[in-house]
Amino acid sequence: MRSTCLVAALAGLAYAVPSPAPQDINFLEIEAEDAPTVTGPTVEAVSQPVSYNEPAAKASAAAAVLDDLSSPSKRGLAKRGVNDPCSPQPDGYGPKPAVDTAAAFLDFQTFHDTANNAATPQGYQRSFVDLKASVNANSYMGLYTFKTYDTIKCQQLCDAANLCTAFNIYFERDPTLAPAEACPKPSSFTNIKCTLWGSGVTTEAAVNKGQYRRDFQVVIAGSNGYTKDNPPSAQPGFDGPTEFGGAINAPGSYIGQKYFPGVYDAGKCAGACQATTAYDKRHPRSDGTYDACQFFNAYLLSKNNVPEGTYCSMYTKSWGKQYSTNYGQYRGSDYYSVSSSYGYTLNPQDPGHI
């Protein structure tokens, strides 16, 4: 039989923290996983359509569980290309101040009025309004550039994208030419950008205040964030989702956990649960019994209110909301919080014996 912790294969690695108690947040696994290298749009991007594949992510999650029981592997993303020096940049349909400086852009009243008067789409809550920074987080999904500041259009793009649960719309001061040695500080124009996210968006996650491209200063204004009200999707072969207050902290039947940085996707937990059962079924006890994953708890784990990824806890029996009492934990001065916590129960139940 495998260990009660799915990261048993990592137990030989040295960490400066103690092993977690069952059902506590497993910080060892969180550190062992590669965080996404893309946590927001690249500074020169004007379009990055959503490409998240939910079935493929579920299959990948199941494979990752089996990898944990043998030897873990690390993955990365290829670096993106850059624009040719001094090449004209696309779009730039937004308004701009008469004075072409970053300070004038940040103070431009039109941006503030537009953000404060923007409509909140039905089924969403406004998470923040009129910030001078955009969201940067593990759950980045895609980018679109608009001709107008249109929260409804951004909402429609989010609704059309599987697992999109929030969006951020903002004005960005961008160069008309790709800054280079021959054109280090070109004139500016304004892009209106809509970014999609596979988690809620928060003020704490709005940390991208811009950057320099050569001598040109990119800045952001009128940044609004909106988060969807609805629960995660149903999963084939499971009843649910059942909404919880915090994470499950049950008196028994816990068999392990798995953490997936990036987009909040309960389907990854379903894949992990099914893979755990399949592994145990291939490695039964001498009497033919095995630990079947009959229930899992999926939730969004955030660090200091910035979304990090999907956390999955697995059990051999289902548990109710009265056991969802783990709302978060401190690690040093950092607070890891639980949100969007839901339970799924296998139907029909696995017999747990050969």
Side-chain angles (χ1 to χ4, degrees), residues 196-217:
L196 307 186
W197 302 87
S199 70
V201 292
T202 62
T203 300
E204 290 82 356
V207 296
N208 176 23
K209 297 182 179 180
Q211 66 185 79
Y212 275 92
R213 297 178 63 185
R214 290 278 181 164
D215 296 335
F216 183 91
Q217 187 177 5

Side-chain angles (χ1 to χ4, degrees), residues 247-258:
I248 292 293
N249 191 9
S253 83
Y254 174 74
I255 56 173
Q257 91 296 314
K258 182 64 183 168

Side-chain angles (χ1 to χ4, degrees), residues 16-96:
V17 294
S19 297
Q23 299 177 78
D24 281 353
I25 296 170
N26 189 339
F27 296 114
L28 300 185
E29 179 166 2
I30 292 169
E31 288 183 345
E33 293 292 340
D34 288 336
T37 59
V38 179
T39 57
T42 54
V43 68
E44 72 274 3
V46 293
S47 178
Q48 291 176 337
V50 175
S51 59
Y52 190 87
N53 186 317
E54 192 171 354
K58 183 176 180 179
S60 176
V65 169
L66 297 179
D67 285 345
D68 282 347
L69 297 168
S70 53
S71 59
S73 61
K74 302 297 182 183
R75 298 161 296 278
L77 297 177
K79 293 183 178 179
R80 299 180 183 274
V82 296
N83 291 301
D84 293 333
C86 297
S87 61
Q89 301 296 280
D91 297 334
Y93 295 105
K96 58 178 289 186

Side-chain angles (χ1 to χ4, degrees), residues 315-337:
Y315 301 82
T316 59
K317 62 172 287 185
S318 61
W319 297 95
K321 187 172 183 177
Q322 66 270 31
Y323 294 98
S324 60
T325 57
N326 181 3
Y327 296 96
Q329 296 170 224
Y330 274 97
R331 187 178 189 218
S333 61
D334 293 321
Y335 185 64
Y336 287 79
S337 58

Side-chain angles (χ1 to χ4, degrees), residues 136-157:
N136 190 280
N138 286 349
S139 56
Y140 173 67
M141 295 185 72
L143 162 72
Y144 297 89
T145 301
F146 293 166
K147 293 185 177 180
T148 60
Y149 192 97
D150 190 341
T151 55
I152 303 304
K153 183 177 180 181
C154 202
Q155 164 252 313
Q156 291 168 342
L157 289 168

